[in-house]
Amino acid sequence: MSFDGLGVPAVQGDTAPRAHRWHRVDRPDRLRGPRSQVPVPVEILAVATATPARKGNQQELARHVCSMRPEFAEWEDLFTRSGIETRYLSVPVEWYEVAHSWAERMDLHRDHSLDLFGKIVPQLLEQSGLTLEDIDALVLNTTAGISVPTLDALLINRLGMRRNVKRLPIYGLGCSGGLAGLVHGSYLARALPGSRVLVLTVDLCSLAIRPDDRRLVNFVATALFGDGAAGLIVQTPAVSSEVAAHVDRPACLPRVLAAGEHLWEGTEGVLALSMTDDGFQMDLGRQLPELIRNGFATALNAFLDEVQITRDDLDGFLVHGGGPKILDGVAQALGLPPQALARSREVMRDFGNMSSATILFTLERAVEAGVRGRHLLVAFGFGVSAHFAVVDL
C-alpha cells in the first residue's frame, strides 16, 4: 500500500490528474525577479496563540470517526500514523454526526474566531507594552470561514480600536496564510515607518468537515486538521527608541530580515477548496509531496538569491506542519537531517494541522525555547504557493 499527498492512500483506479510537468515549473526564466537590496529589518514585538477549549485525543477521535463511518475502519491507522496526538476543536464531536448548512458553519466560524482573537490581542499588547491606541494597521487572514463585513472590521468594533486603523483582510491562501500575514505585515511596516502592525490569522478547519462527504480524502482531512488562531505585532526599528523608556522589552527582538513568496505554475488542482451546497470540500492532491521534493529547492534558491541570502547563512528551518509527507518532502528537498524539523513536528503532534495558524505556533514555540539565529519560515498553501520569511531570532 502506498500513500501520497498529505497521507492520502493511493487507491486503485484513482483518476485524480497527475500529468503536471514539474520541469516547466522550475524553468529559471520563470523564477527570475528584480534583484533587490536587503530591506530594512522588521521587529517582531510579540507573538501569541490560542485554541478552542475542547481538546481531542487522536486515538479517541479515530474511534469516534470510524464508528460514524465503518467503511473507513481499515484506514483507522491514518490517525495514529499521522504523528498527531492531540487536536483542538471548536464544537463537540457529536456536532459532526449530522449535516449543517453554510450559514451555520460560517456563523460558528465568525463567532469562535472573534472569541479567539479576544484572547490573543490582550496577550500581544501585554508582551509588547502597547495599547490598542498604538496599533496603526491590522492584517487579518483566514480561509475556513467567510464573513462580510470581514473579521477585521468586526474585531475593530468589538475591541474598540481606532477608527482610522489601516485594514488588510487576506482570504483564500490556506495553510500559508498566517505566514503571508507576516509577509504582508512586514511590507506594511516598511511602507509606513513608525507604524505598529497587528497581524492575526485563524482557521477553524474542523467546522468544514461534512459527514455526508464519504470520499477517502475527507476521511484523511478529518485525521489531520484542527482549530487554532495566532497573532503578531511588527514594526520597523524606527519607533524602538520612543517606546524604550516605558516598555520592559528584550534588548534583542526577533527580526524579519526578508520575506517573499512563490506560486507554482499549473498547480491549481493540486490543492484546492470547492464549494458545495453545505460547505467546503477539501481536495488534497496526491502530487503535493512530489512538487515539494522536486520543485521546492529551486523556488527557495530563487527567493534567497533575490534577497541576497544564502542557505549557508541560515541556522535552522521552521516549516508549516501540514502533515508528515509535507515535512518529509521539505527535508528530502533540502537534504536536512531528521532533527532539523523537530519543532515543526512537535507542533503537529500537539495541535494537528491548524492551517494558517500552524506556522506561527511553530514560531512561538521556537521563541519560547530561546532558539537563536537566522531561521527560514516556510508554509505551503493553495495555488500551489509557498511563503517565505527569514527571521533572526
Side-chain angles (χ1 to χ4, degrees):
M1 182 188 304
S2 62
F3 288 78
D4 296 299
L6 297 182
V8 181
V11 180
Q12 185 70 26
D14 192 330
T15 59
R18 300 178 66 87
H20 292 277
R21 300 173 60 190
W22 305 131
H23 66 282
R24 291 183 59 217
V25 175
D26 292 339
R27 275 175 46 185
D29 62 305
R30 296 176 183 268
L31 296 175
R32 291 196 190 103
R35 189 171 182 84
S36 58
Q37 297 296 317
V38 177
V40 175
V42 171
E43 294 176 334
I44 300 176
L45 301 184
V47 56
T49 61
T51 61
R54 294 179 182 85
K55 184 177 182 178
N57 175 274
Q58 184 77 336
Q59 293 184 343
E60 293 176 0
L61 292 173
R63 287 191 291 270
H64 186 83
V65 172
C66 289
S67 69
M68 293 172 53
R69 291 290 176 264
E71 64 268 30
F72 292 131
E74 63 179 301
W75 306 110
E76 184 175 348
D77 65 341
L78 285 175
F79 280 75
T80 56
R81 293 170 54 190
S82 65
I84 299 168
E85 295 181 3
T86 53
R87 289 180 285 159
Y88 292 81
L89 307 176
S90 299
V91 292
V93 292
E94 293 76 17
W95 185 85
Y96 305 101
E97 297 176 1
V98 297
H100 300 277
S101 67
W102 261 105
E104 183 181 358
R105 294 176 190 276
M106 296 304 101
D107 287 349
L108 284 170
H109 192 279
R110 177 199 62 216
D111 295 344
H112 284 284
S113 295
L114 292 173
D115 288 344
L116 291 177
F117 290 147
K119 298 176 182 178
I120 289 173
V121 173
Q123 294 180 59
L124 294 172
L125 295 176
E126 181 178 2
Q127 290 180 37
S128 62
L130 301 176
T131 69
L132 282 176
E133 286 295 310
D134 296 318
I135 301 301
D136 302 296
L138 171 59
V139 178
L140 197 152
N141 168 82
T142 191
T143 294
I146 300 172
S147 174
V148 181
T150 49
L151 288 174
D152 49 288
L154 299 177
L155 186 65
I156 287 173
N157 286 326
R158 172 178 284 204
L159 298 182
M161 298 175 68
R162 284 170 24 204
R163 299 294 96 191
N164 63 343
V165 168
K166 298 169 180 62
R167 300 185 292 132
L168 177 59
I170 300 176
Y171 177 77
L173 293 177
C175 295
S176 68
L179 188 49
L182 174 57
V183 169
H184 289 280
S186 298
Y187 293 161
L188 270 177
R190 292 184 183 118
L192 305 169
S195 294
R196 287 74 174 247
V197 181
L198 172 62
V199 178
L200 296 171
T201 191
V202 62
D203 277 310
L204 308 181
C205 306
S206 73
L207 295 177
I209 295 173
R210 298 162 47 245
D212 292 335
D213 186 349
R214 296 177 180 270
R215 299 172 307 139
L216 185 56
V217 69
N218 184 61
F219 179 78
V220 173
T222 304
L224 293 175
F225 287 96
D227 299 344
L232 306 137
I233 296 178
V234 298
Q235 68 173 24
T236 51
V239 297
S240 296
S241 59
E242 70 184 64
V243 297
H246 66 278
V247 175
D248 183 14
R249 183 178 295 156
C252 184
L253 293 164
R255 299 183 303 158
V256 181
L257 303 182
E261 58 191 280
H262 180 81
L263 178 66
W264 277 278
E265 180 183 359
T267 58
E268 301 95 318
V270 174
L271 188 63
L273 281 182
S274 303
M275 293 188 178
T276 69
D277 291 339
D278 61 345
F280 287 118
Q281 174 177 291
M282 174 66 79
D283 298 312
L284 302 177
R286 301 186 303 152
Q287 308 94 326
L288 186 57
E290 179 187 354
L291 171 61
I292 293 173
R293 288 192 302 268
N294 297 336
F296 175 60
T298 301
L300 173 60
N301 290 339
F303 161 68
L304 293 176
D305 182 62
E306 180 182 342
V307 298
Q308 302 180 40
I309 295 174
T310 71
R311 283 177 57 182
D312 289 339
D313 296 326
L314 301 175
D315 299 299
F317 298 84
L318 300 173
V319 180
H320 162 72
K325 290 283 186 177
I326 301 302
L327 295 178
D328 292 345
V330 170
Q332 292 172 25
L334 302 183
L336 302 177
Q339 67 272 19
L341 303 182
R343 298 199 186 279
S344 300
R345 296 186 190 277
E346 289 172 5
V347 169
M348 187 174 68
R349 177 197 66 201
D350 295 340
F351 301 96
N353 182 352
M354 300 168 288
S355 190
S356 64
T358 309
I359 188 63
L360 299 188
F361 273 69
T362 309
L363 174 61
E364 179 190 49
R365 184 156 293 195
V367 170
E368 290 178 345
V371 173
R372 294 290 180 264
R374 292 184 176 188
H375 284 66
L376 177 74
L377 275 66
V378 182
F380 303 96
F382 297 123
V384 171
S385 60
H387 282 82
F388 310 105
V390 178
V391 177
D392 192 5
L393 298 177

